[in-house]
Structures are given as C-alpha cells and as structure tokens.
Amino acid sequence: MNTAHQIKRGVSFYSYQEEYFLRKMSLEDCVREAAAIGAFGVEIIPEQSITGYPNPGEDFYRQWNGWMEKYGTTTVATDLFIDTKRYPGRTMTTEEAAESVRRDLDIAKRLGARHVRAIINTPPEVMEACASYAEALDLKLLLEVHAPFHYEHPWILRHLEVMHRLQSPALGFMPDMGTFVERFPRVMSERALRDGARPHLVELAVETYNNHGDVHGLMDTFNYMGANPVELGVARIATFMTAQDPRSMLEHMPYIHHIQAKFYEMTDEGVEYSIPYEKIIPVLIEGGYDGYLSSEYEGNRHIQDIYEVDSVDQVRRQHLMFERLLGEDRTIDVAAAAAAGGSNV
C-alpha cells in the first residue's frame, strides 16, 4: 500500500463521554490522553464538554489555550448541534437556525478550531446563510455525512448544489466512517440478546445486513413474526446503518476536510470489527486527503450494562491500527504511555 500521505491523527472527545460523564476524566485528562497516544488534533463538542456553554467566559478560553500549549495539541474541530424543533408548535426559521450556527462558529474561533461540524440535519439553506460568516472567520463549516445518508441521497445532493453554486471555501463535508459498516456490530447484536431479543430474530437481522439483503423489509417481517420492542430495534438498526463503498468519497475529496473515524469495537487482533479501515485509509491516501482521522468511539453505550467501559483503551487500540495502516514508523507503547500519566483512568 502506498503510504506517502499527510494524514494526521486526532480524537473527538465524544469518544471519552462515558468517563467524562462519570467524572473519571476531566476535560484536561481528555487532552492529556490524546497527546499521550500521538493524536494531537483534538475535536470537542462545546455543548457537551464546556461548562457555561455557550458563554464559558474568558478564564475558560485562557485555560483551554494553555492546555493546547502544554500538551502540544491543536483544536482541529468543534461539533455543533441545531435544535430545529426548539420552539413548541413550529420549526426554527432559517435565520434563527443560522444565528445558532453563527454563535457556534464564534466559539470555534475562540477555541482555535479550523473546522466546525454541522450536524446532518442542518438545512442547506442554513449552510448557505452562514457561508460568508464562516469565510470571514477563516473557518470551514462542514456537513456531517452520517448513516443512513450517502453522497447520492437527495438531502446530500441539495447540500452539494449549494456548495457547487456558491464555490465558497468555507463549505464542505465531514464524513462519518459509520457509513461504511460492512458487518453488523456485534456489540449491538449481543446487547439486544441481553435485553431480551430472541436469537433467531437477531440472527436474521445480522445475516440480512451482512449479506446485503433487503434490510428495508425487516421491520415488516419482524412485525409479522410478532417481534418485541427490542427486536424491532435491531431491525431498525439494520435499516439505519449503511455499507457504502469507501471509494464513493473520491469524487467529493475536494470538499472533505475532516474525518470522523467512527468505531464500535476494536478487537484483540487490532482491527475494527465492523468498519473496514484497511479499505478506507488507502482510499483517503489515493484521494490526497491531508486532514485528521478523528476517533469517535460509540461502543460504550452497547456494553455499559455488562462491562466497565474503557474508552481510553479502545481509542488507543484504534490509533495503533491507524499507525499500522498509515505506515508510521513510531509504535505507541500503551503500557509506557499509561505509566507516564497518559490518563488517570
């Protein structure tokens, strides 16, 4: 595999949400841990992680900048949400939504970020209304491409029309690698079994998905078979996930500036169980991608009923995989990093 590239490694602090919520990790711990594994590009969700959001105060920004300098990290991206149903009985107007986005763009600028993730439900009209504002701040406002959406989906095509028409350097994509799920995540199917799903229905959903069968008929099929709510949830998951070809990114690479490297389970063998990074990373290299792979661990919610979640270990494993696939010479010694204070977990 060609390993000549400029791809860099980072972490979305969404990955550490379990430990952060339980106060096992502080925000500084998240920064420290990312640096310890060589993931120097950090991605933060202000609404989730910043006390006092959207107005944390000058002391917070000074502290944040101090951490970036102390640990040698860079704020690469922030994630914004947009609650279009905030007001009872009506949807936000375009201008109200745009004002919400501009507020988050201001926060991103103060944090030193380069990219801002616009959640998938952000209307194209809002992206258009905010493009010039993002340009003025020298930020890129990037639409999340998240399952079950893909580059041929009508919603994404509407956004592409805006991007092509405006030709604004501020607009682009932030693909979520959860659009390339080749195998039904076993952390999800095993959780369903523990929650009361019958094995034959779980097996049907998993086999249908893995064999690229008619997942859209599963909900009706499960209804006819007297499925319980947990089983219907498994069928719903199968319709929500997608197994797109990673090469679908190549046509749109000029608009792709940041990657959310979704993963559900890093195995003892050093691979992601469901998402074929061994196919994804060569595509990114071929396309000349030079941004960050930002870890986004989402397996926590599916195992927390039976195991103590160790997001730190899972993220470390993913970065060992990244090092191998990216052809990096240096190998992280996880035990040494922990001994050196990489995390307090």
Side-chain angles (χ1 to χ4, degrees), residues 30-91:
C30 296
V31 178
R32 182 188 300 113
E33 172 59 25
I37 61 173
F40 294 108
V42 301
E43 179 179 343
I44 184 172
I45 306 175
E47 194 169 341
Q48 177 190 69
S49 303
I50 299 178
T51 302
Y53 169 89
N55 301 300
E58 293 302 317
D59 287 345
F60 171 79
Y61 289 117
R62 280 192 291 269
Q63 183 179 58
W64 179 261
N65 290 333
W67 290 338
M68 295 298 101
E69 182 177 356
K70 178 179 178 180
Y71 297 106
T73 47
T74 299
T75 314
V76 175
T78 64
D79 297 1
L80 67 79
F81 294 87
I82 183 167
D83 184 5
T84 58
K85 304 294 185 182
R86 177 182 302 172
Y87 303 110
R90 69 176 181 87
T91 301

Side-chain angles (χ1 to χ4, degrees), residues 235-272:
R236 173 69 180 91
I237 290 171
T239 66
F240 182 80
M241 293 186 301
T242 60
Q244 300 295 310
D245 184 345
R247 296 188 67 80
S248 63
M249 290 187 288
L250 287 175
E251 179 183 352
H252 308 288
M253 200 62 71
Y255 292 104
I256 295 175
H257 303 289
H258 189 73
I259 298 288
Q260 290 194 315
K262 173 77 60 64
F263 72 106
Y264 301 103
E265 178 190 5
M266 288 301 303
T267 69
D268 291 340
E269 292 71 38
V271 297
E272 212 292 327

Side-chain angles (χ1 to χ4, degrees), residues 193-253:
L193 291 170
R194 294 194 301 273
D195 286 345
R198 288 168 288 179
H200 71 285
L201 287 179
V202 173
E203 183 177 348
L204 175 59
V206 171
E207 289 188 354
T208 301
Y209 184 86
N210 291 351
N211 294 326
H212 307 291
D214 181 15
V215 293
H216 296 288
L218 278 177
M219 291 293 290
D220 284 338
T221 301
F222 274 39
N223 266 318
Y224 303 152
M225 297 174 72
N228 65 37
V230 176
E231 293 158 351
L232 289 173
V234 175
R236 173 69 180 91
I237 290 171
T239 66
F240 182 80
M241 293 186 301
T242 60
Q244 300 295 310
D245 184 345
R247 296 188 67 80
S248 63
M249 290 187 288
L250 287 175
E251 179 183 352
H252 308 288
M253 200 62 71

Side-chain angles (χ1 to χ4, degrees), residues 281-298:
I281 288 180
V283 170
L284 295 175
I285 293 174
E286 178 183 345
Y289 177 70
D290 61 359
Y292 283 81
L293 286 168
S294 184
S295 291
E296 189 182 47
Y297 175 49
E298 283 198 10

